[in-house]
Amino acid sequence: MSTNTAPRQSDPAPRQPDPARLDSAPAQRIPAPLYGRRRSDLLMGTLSAILHTRLGWIERVHRHAPPAPENDRRIEVVVTERRIEARDNDVVGIRFAAPDGGELPVWMPGAHLDVELPSGRLRQYSLCGDPRDANSYRIAVRRIPDGGGGSREVHEALTPGTRVTIRGPRNAFPFVPPGNAGTRVHFVAGGIGITPILPMVRAAARAGSNWTLIYTGRAADTLPFLRELGEFGDRVTVRTDDIHGLPDAAALLGGVGPGAAVYCCGPAAMTATITDALRHRPEIALYSERFSAPPVVDGRPFDVVLARTGETVEVAADRTILESVLAVRPDTAYSCRQGFCRTCLVRTLDGEPEHRDTALTPDERAAGDILICVSRCAGGRLVLDL
């Protein structure tokens, strides 16, 4: 692959985590693929789980599982580095450290942080550094001019010396290198979707796995970390829309066959293309994370009453409660917009929720809790404690 990025300083040599820190983490289970596994794949997963648990590869069970309570810790960190990561200047890398320079909690590829920005906004960003570096966390954020303001704040407000509070790390997209070195692992990243994939690639390389990466984007200028990926040679294929056109499933999957595992992160259209292509191929395990809200499926219009002010908000069939509420309450807390981080949890005072999350417990649902980023109304009206 070509690497035309400007010269940059090398990252500091990673530190090996203390084995005692790894041993104290919760035990790992293997995440289920989207479309099932055959028996041989289950055996591979079991062997891999035993191997990597012993090595300290600790992750959560499934990308939709609720965050583990121990990962809800709040930690104050300080920005120690701010660096431009793409030639178009729209991706900035931020490195955090503990104010006293001490060790930070262990994380593994696929993990993310919840970052409490100075304005009070809460946003999630994938960790894209090296898990062996026990003293710093690295994220990278693309500026979205017409977004919700979080990315602009990262670019403008997170300068060296700035202190923020983080939550986590926690993992909604765990990676487990296969126990058999010959098993194909194929990564697909679109644009800033490279952030959780980059540590996975490094882990696969260290494990001696048979891996490949397709990295796509509008143009080479928009793609971060090209120089870092250059060290992996022809295992990495960079495909940009301005030269190659929009990729189809065949171009994204690179000829993966039975027994392979595919890890994908990127825009909704890209992940949908791969999901559709593998929907009826259970012999290929697919793990996916998107960085935008999923489209509303089979939605019906309804009204939401904000109990504290008496306002009534109309929720269209193709919009979420969160989107509709934000139009009148822009300070409403939210983060993942996919129904697993629980930031937008609200109590229902009247009406029947239609739960579409996978984070709330049965008791929480019975008590009237609802995640307004994905869930809807089973009738025509909800009254929320807002």
Side-chain angles (χ1 to χ4, degrees):
M1 60 172 283
S2 62
T3 56
N4 296 322
T5 53
R8 53 188 283 180
Q9 296 179 349
S10 299
D11 289 337
R15 225 183 108 180
Q16 294 290 347
D18 182 349
R21 299 171 76 235
L22 293 170
D23 291 342
S24 66
Q28 170 165 346
R29 290 177 289 168
I30 300 299
L34 294 183
Y35 304 113
R37 294 181 184 268
R38 295 187 181 275
R39 185 174 301 276
S40 60
D41 203 19
L42 178 61
L43 175 61
M44 180 195 75
T46 302
L47 292 174
S48 180
I50 294 171
L51 171 64
H52 291 288
T53 296
R54 294 179 67 87
L55 291 177
W57 289 83
I58 309 301
E59 300 289 354
R60 284 199 302 112
V61 57
H62 189 273
R63 71 186 186 92
H64 290 306
E70 61 269 19
N71 290 338
D72 283 333
R73 62 173 75 87
R74 300 173 79 247
I75 306 168
E76 185 180 55
V77 293
V78 61
V79 176
T80 59
E81 181 184 55
R82 179 188 184 278
R83 185 163 64 187
I84 299 300
E85 300 289 3
R87 294 200 303 266
D88 66 356
N89 293 324
D90 274 348
V91 178
V92 65
I94 301 292
R95 192 176 295 275
F96 298 118
D100 64 0
E103 292 188 350
L104 295 167
V106 170
W107 64 280
M108 290 295 156
H112 66 268
L113 299 175
D114 292 347
V115 181
E116 297 180 11
L117 297 172
S119 67
R121 295 183 178 96
L122 182 67
R123 295 293 185 266
Q124 293 181 321
Y125 299 112
S126 296
L127 285 161
C128 58
D130 191 331
R132 299 181 306 168
D133 180 357
N135 298 94
S136 74
Y137 292 149
R138 183 177 70 161
I139 63 172
V141 179
R142 177 175 295 284
R143 187 198 310 268
I144 308 297
D146 56 351
S151 66
R152 295 196 303 274
E153 187 172 358
V154 170
H155 277 248
E156 296 165 7
L158 295 195
T159 55
T162 302
R163 294 197 179 201
V164 297
T165 298
I166 60 172
R167 302 179 189 176
R170 47 191 170 194
N171 205 322
F173 185 34
F175 171 65
V176 180
N180 184 341
T183 299
R184 175 88 177 271
V185 180
H186 184 63
F187 301 104
V188 184
I192 199 64
I194 192 62
T195 49
I197 296 293
L198 183 57
M200 295 184 186
V201 164
R202 293 193 179 282
R206 288 172 185 146
S209 300
N210 174 22
W211 66 273
T212 50
L213 165 65
I214 301 288
Y215 186 19
T216 71
R218 299 189 306 275
D221 284 354
T222 70
L223 298 179
F225 305 124
L226 284 178
R227 186 171 183 270
E228 289 187 34
L229 289 167
E231 68 184 78
F232 298 113
D234 60 6
R235 286 187 181 271
V236 176
T237 299
V238 175
R239 181 188 176 97
T240 56
D241 301 346
D242 60 343
I243 296 176
H244 305 96
L246 293 174
D248 57 13
L252 293 171
L253 291 172
V256 298
V262 176
Y263 289 81
C264 169
C265 183
M270 187 191 81
T271 57
T273 295
I274 292 176
T275 298
D276 290 344
L278 298 182
R279 189 176 301 280
H280 302 295
R281 299 194 64 185
E283 73 277 13
I284 298 175
L286 173 61
Y287 305 93
S288 176
E289 182 175 66
R290 68 170 79 214
F291 50 74
S292 60
V296 176
V297 177
D298 298 328
R300 299 186 305 273
F302 57 94
D303 290 337
V304 167
V305 178
L306 309 183
R308 299 180 193 177
T309 63
E311 296 171 278
T312 296
V313 178
E314 295 181 358
V315 180
D318 60 349
R319 301 194 76 194
T320 66
I321 298 176
L322 176 64
E323 290 176 299
S324 304
V325 170
L326 284 172
V328 296
R329 293 283 189 83
D331 59 342
T332 300
Y334 72 94
S335 185
C336 75
R337 295 183 296 162
Q338 299 177 53
F340 64 80
C341 80
R342 304 167 62 95
T343 303
C344 66
L345 187 149
V346 176
R347 178 61 55 89
T348 302
L349 301 179
D350 190 33
E352 182 182 355
E354 178 188 314
H355 294 286
R356 297 191 175 191
D357 68 277
T358 54
L360 296 182
T361 66
D363 287 346
E364 288 172 322
R365 293 183 179 188
D369 290 343
I370 182 175
L371 298 185
I372 62 174
C373 67
V374 292
S375 295
R376 303 185 67 77
C377 178
R381 178 176 176 270
L382 281 181
V383 179
L384 300 180
D385 187 16
L386 282 173

